[in-house]
Amino acid sequence: MVTGVTSLGLVRDELFATMEQAEQSLEHFIAERQNGTLLQQAVEAMHQVRGTLNLIELTGAELLAQELLDQATDIPAGAGEERDIQLSALSNALHVLRRYLENLDLHRQEMPELLLPAINDLRQAGGQAPLPESYFFSVRLDQVRQGAVAVKLPEGANPDVLARRFRQAYQQGLLGFLRGAKVPSSLRMMLRALGGLERLYAEQPRGRLCWIGAAAIESQLDGQLLARKSRKQLFSRLDRELKLLLANTAYEAPRSLQKELLYLVALADSQGQRARELRDAFGMTALPFTDQLLEQEYQRLSGPGQAVMRSLSAAIFEELNSVKDMIDLIERGTAPVESFDSLHALLGKLAKTLAMVGLISPGNALQSQLPMVAGWSAAAPVEATELLKLADAVLYVEGMVAGLDSGERRHGRQAAEPGHEEGSFANHQLAEARIVVLDEAQAGLSMAKRAITAYLESNGEKLHLANVPVSLQAVRGGLWFLDQERAASLVGGCGDYIQRQMLETSAMPSEQMLETLADALTSLEYYLEGGAGMRRGFQTDVLDLAASSVRALGLQVAA
């Protein structure tokens, strides 16, 4: 059975309808708290959502749905003000889950880490301990440090006294970090202190925590990780462990603490010496996201849903069309006198609206045109170059706003410097062309699969396959246009097999060979659904599956 991102589309409509029912029932219950039926309807809908997410194996989304269900079940009918925080957390978590699934359906990119803030808000509202940042992070913790040599102390030096001084230095730096005062300096002080303990205990079991902790602080500093509350608590916990460490020569750090510290190393992808050493030792690769991206994406999840953005997009497009009409009248010399003031006012209003919804660059593009437009009047003709500059800015804004209603907000769009909007607009047009080509390629593969099914069911009626090789060659050409040579070659191989082994011969291929052909086309279809390997997080090794199937058909496949 197909699970995960690729199967979301199969249950999308029913899942979103059930989530909408849960949101509406919960919203009505918050207003009518004596109506236990509304609460029960919300709980039943959440139970159905959790079951669906479990079925398609979307782990992070299922975990959030389970937390929703647990918290909603805990709320009694007639809940008073003491449950307001819990109900607010439920409402917010439902919204975040819907937005996450909308983005997942669009971008095919699982990032369950985005759901942890909503999960922990729910758990906190219910009096439970939060899940750690590293909850979805996996790493083997049984790796041993190689070649560590302790520093030799001068004769008469007391290592215990020196260790206590290092811990005091760590505490001084930690205090500054907790207060947010001179954070880089505070982190450097913490790093020097842990580095000293690391060298002091390098050959002892307790030196392991100092080694990992120093790399984590180095990563926090070099990677400019956000000073989240969870990280302040983590480094405070590290200080408490240092106290135990100094008192016990056989001390071993808790595995949960080691994992949390290693997660920071993986997240920052620092080029510091300690971080590189740790990544090599533990076999860690850089995560497919940054700390800043997680924060940005979570803010997006907390923002308006697609329905709201569609309405906003429609309103902005209506005003952009009014701007374009005015520009057209001015260019023809037939604009009424009041059009110039109206155009200036409308551009200013649009610039503010765009800035409010987070489209800063498009807003700035219009804002930069205001001084020029303020100088226009019916008394003198407007320069053609000035009209062209405004038209370029409007087209750029139009391209940036076009993604609001499809969930593409700020995804893959490059901000343009005022006055250089034409280049960004051209890039946008190219991106739109790419989407069209991908859609057409997916349609061609789907058609080929349907034709093969019909061919099999009709016991080899070749008429069903007549147009398939031509369609697959068109798909192949589109993939070459997108610089997807390997995928194009595999599609071409499938087309050649159909032409030579199914159309030009009298014998019908075996059912096993037809299934192999269908597997190849299905793998290619999944690859295209994921954006042809261009979206981070999608498993491009699906092409290896397609290549394996094409080889099984007896065709040569390039590596």
Side-chain angles (χ1 to χ4, degrees), residues 36 61 114 120 144 151 158 206 220 385 390 396 429 443 479 513:
L114 289 175
N120 285 334
V144 179
V151 66
N158 189 327
R206 54 181 170 175
Q220 176 79 29
T385 54
L390 179 57
Y396 166 66
Q429 293 292 85
L479 292 174
M513 296 299 283

Side-chain angles (χ1 to χ4, degrees), residues 45-57 62 65 69:
M46 291 178 198
H47 191 277
Q48 186 175 339
V49 168
R50 189 205 65 80
T52 302
L53 294 173
N54 173 264
L55 181 66
I56 61 178
E57 298 182 10
E62 183 197 350
L69 185 58

Side-chain angles (χ1 to χ4, degrees), residues 111-228:
M111 203 183 294
E113 290 81 2
L114 289 175
L115 301 177
L116 278 174
I119 290 171
N120 285 334
D121 284 347
L122 280 173
R123 293 177 67 87
Q124 183 177 359
Q128 296 175 279
L131 298 179
E133 280 191 80
S134 64
Y135 185 83
F136 295 106
F137 174 63
S138 296
V139 64
R140 289 189 59 179
L141 297 174
D142 55 355
Q143 306 300 318
V144 179
R145 186 180 186 184
Q146 302 293 333
V149 179
V151 66
K152 291 184 179 180
L153 298 179
E155 187 176 349
N158 189 327
D160 293 335
V161 172
L162 186 58
R164 285 195 295 272
R165 289 176 181 170
F166 280 136
R167 186 189 173 213
Q168 289 172 354
Y170 178 86
Q171 289 175 320
Q172 289 177 2
L174 176 62
L175 187 60
F177 178 68
L178 296 179
R179 291 175 175 173
K182 299 180 179 178
V183 170
S185 298
S186 298
L187 286 171
R188 279 192 285 270
M189 182 179 293
M190 294 163 65
L191 179 58
R192 285 194 297 270
L194 271 186
L197 288 171
E198 173 196 359
R199 291 188 295 274
L200 193 63
Y201 297 138
E203 297 173 355
Q204 301 179 35
R206 54 181 170 175
R208 178 182 179 84
L209 179 61
C210 304
W211 173 48
I212 296 175
I217 294 173
E218 179 184 74
S219 298
Q220 176 79 29
L221 179 62
D222 291 352
Q224 298 182 342
L225 301 184
L226 301 175
R228 302 181 188 274

Side-chain angles (χ1 to χ4, degrees), residues 379-526:
V382 178
E383 293 288 337
T385 54
E386 293 186 347
L387 280 171
L388 189 59
K389 280 183 63 177
L390 179 57
D392 284 338
V394 171
L395 288 174
Y396 166 66
V397 172
E398 196 171 43
M400 295 292 281
V401 173
L404 283 176
D405 59 346
S406 63
E408 289 282 356
R409 185 183 177 198
R410 293 195 296 274
H411 263 268
R413 304 289 180 85
Q414 291 187 347
E417 292 292 331
H420 298 83
E421 290 84 8
E422 68 280 1
S424 180
F425 177 67
N427 290 334
H428 166 65
Q429 293 292 85
L430 186 60
E432 292 295 316
R434 174 188 169 80
I435 293 171
V436 171
V437 172
L438 280 176
D439 287 344
E440 289 297 321
Q442 287 179 246
L445 291 176
S446 296
M447 184 277 290
K449 288 169 60 182
R450 291 195 301 271
I452 292 170
T453 300
Y455 169 82
L456 182 60
E457 291 175 349
S458 64
N459 199 28
E461 177 56 58
K462 296 181 180 180
L463 184 62
H464 295 294
L465 302 177
N467 296 322
V468 173
V470 175
S471 297
L472 290 182
Q473 288 304 319
V475 171
R476 177 176 174 270
L479 292 174
W480 274 105
F481 168 76
L482 298 177
D483 292 328
Q484 295 290 329
E485 290 89 351
R486 189 182 182 204
S489 176
L490 294 172
V491 169
C494 292
D496 290 343
Y497 181 85
I498 293 171
Q499 180 67 40
R500 297 172 185 174
Q501 303 298 326
M502 300 170 72
L503 286 173
E504 296 179 359
T505 61
S506 57
M508 183 177 175
S510 67
E511 186 172 341
Q512 180 181 355
M513 296 299 283
L514 290 176
E515 288 180 357
T516 300
L517 176 61
D519 288 343
L521 292 171
T522 299
S523 297
L524 288 163
E525 193 174 18
Y526 287 154

Side-chain angles (χ1 to χ4, degrees), residues 255-266:
R255 294 175 66 84
S256 60
L257 177 58
Q258 293 182 55
K259 184 181 176 185
E260 278 292 285
L261 294 169
L262 288 170
Y263 173 74
L264 295 187
V265 177

Side-chain angles (χ1 to χ4, degrees), residues 92-409:
N92 176 68
L94 269 172
H95 175 77
V96 168
L97 180 58
R98 169 187 278 273
R99 294 283 286 122
Y100 177 78
L101 293 173
E102 286 176 348
N103 289 343
L104 192 58
D105 182 50
L106 183 66
H107 301 297
R108 305 281 166 171
Q109 177 184 336
E110 284 192 74
M111 203 183 294
E113 290 81 2
L114 289 175
L115 301 177
L116 278 174
I119 290 171
N120 285 334
D121 284 347
L122 280 173
R123 293 177 67 87
Q124 183 177 359
Q128 296 175 279
L131 298 179
E133 280 191 80
S134 64
Y135 185 83
F136 295 106
F137 174 63
S138 296
V139 64
R140 289 189 59 179
L141 297 174
D142 55 355
Q143 306 300 318
V144 179
R145 186 180 186 184
Q146 302 293 333
V149 179
V151 66
K152 291 184 179 180
L153 298 179
E155 187 176 349
N158 189 327
D160 293 335
V161 172
L162 186 58
R164 285 195 295 272
R165 289 176 181 170
F166 280 136
R167 186 189 173 213
Q168 289 172 354
Y170 178 86
Q171 289 175 320
Q172 289 177 2
L174 176 62
L175 187 60
F177 178 68
L178 296 179
R179 291 175 175 173
K182 299 180 179 178
V183 170
S185 298
S186 298
L187 286 171
R188 279 192 285 270
M189 182 179 293
M190 294 163 65
L191 179 58
R192 285 194 297 270
L194 271 186
L197 288 171
E198 173 196 359
R199 291 188 295 274
L200 193 63
Y201 297 138
E203 297 173 355
Q204 301 179 35
R206 54 181 170 175
R208 178 182 179 84
L209 179 61
C210 304
W211 173 48
I212 296 175
I217 294 173
E218 179 184 74
S219 298
Q220 176 79 29
L221 179 62
D222 291 352
Q224 298 182 342
L225 301 184
L226 301 175
R228 302 181 188 274
K229 179 181 178 181
S230 59
R231 290 164 194 171
K232 293 180 178 180
Q233 292 173 337
L234 175 64
F235 292 137
S236 297
R237 180 186 175 190
L238 179 55
D239 174 57
R240 294 192 296 272
E241 293 296 326
L242 289 179
K243 180 180 179 181
L244 301 175
L245 179 150
L246 297 184
N248 182 4
T249 58
Y251 170 88
E252 291 187 7
R255 294 175 66 84
S256 60
L257 177 58
Q258 293 182 55
K259 184 181 176 185
E260 278 292 285
L261 294 169
L262 288 170
Y263 173 74
L264 295 187
V265 177
L267 178 63
D269 195 26
S270 165
Q271 295 306 307
Q273 179 181 348
R274 288 185 177 88
R276 290 200 307 270
E277 183 183 348
L278 237 73
R279 284 199 300 271
D280 291 341
F282 287 88
M284 295 188 298
T285 57
L287 298 176
F289 48 80
T290 65
D291 197 29
Q292 289 72 21
L293 177 64
L294 282 179
E295 182 67 20
Q296 176 186 341
E297 290 300 298
Y298 184 72
Q299 294 303 321
R300 289 186 63 247
L301 290 187
S302 302
Q306 285 189 14
V308 174
M309 298 312 292
R310 275 195 292 270
S311 300
L312 178 62
S313 176
I316 293 176
F317 267 117
E318 186 175 337
E319 296 196 341
L320 284 173
N321 286 332
S322 298
V323 170
K324 289 193 288 186
D325 289 342
M326 291 181 189
I327 292 174
D328 184 51
L329 291 175
I330 292 172
E331 192 272 334
R332 296 183 185 196
T334 58
V337 174
E338 63 273 12
S339 293
F340 295 90
D341 289 338
S342 298
L343 177 61
H344 187 272
L346 185 53
L347 288 173
K349 177 184 173 184
L350 269 172
K352 291 179 182 178
T353 300
L354 292 167
M356 286 176 60
V357 299
L359 293 173
I360 306 300
S361 179
N364 290 340
L366 293 186
Q367 189 72 34
S368 68
Q369 304 299 317
L370 293 179
M372 179 183 72
V373 175
W376 294 357
S377 70
V382 178
E383 293 288 337
T385 54
E386 293 186 347
L387 280 171
L388 189 59
K389 280 183 63 177
L390 179 57
D392 284 338
V394 171
L395 288 174
Y396 166 66
V397 172
E398 196 171 43
M400 295 292 281
V401 173
L404 283 176
D405 59 346
S406 63
E408 289 282 356
R409 185 183 177 198

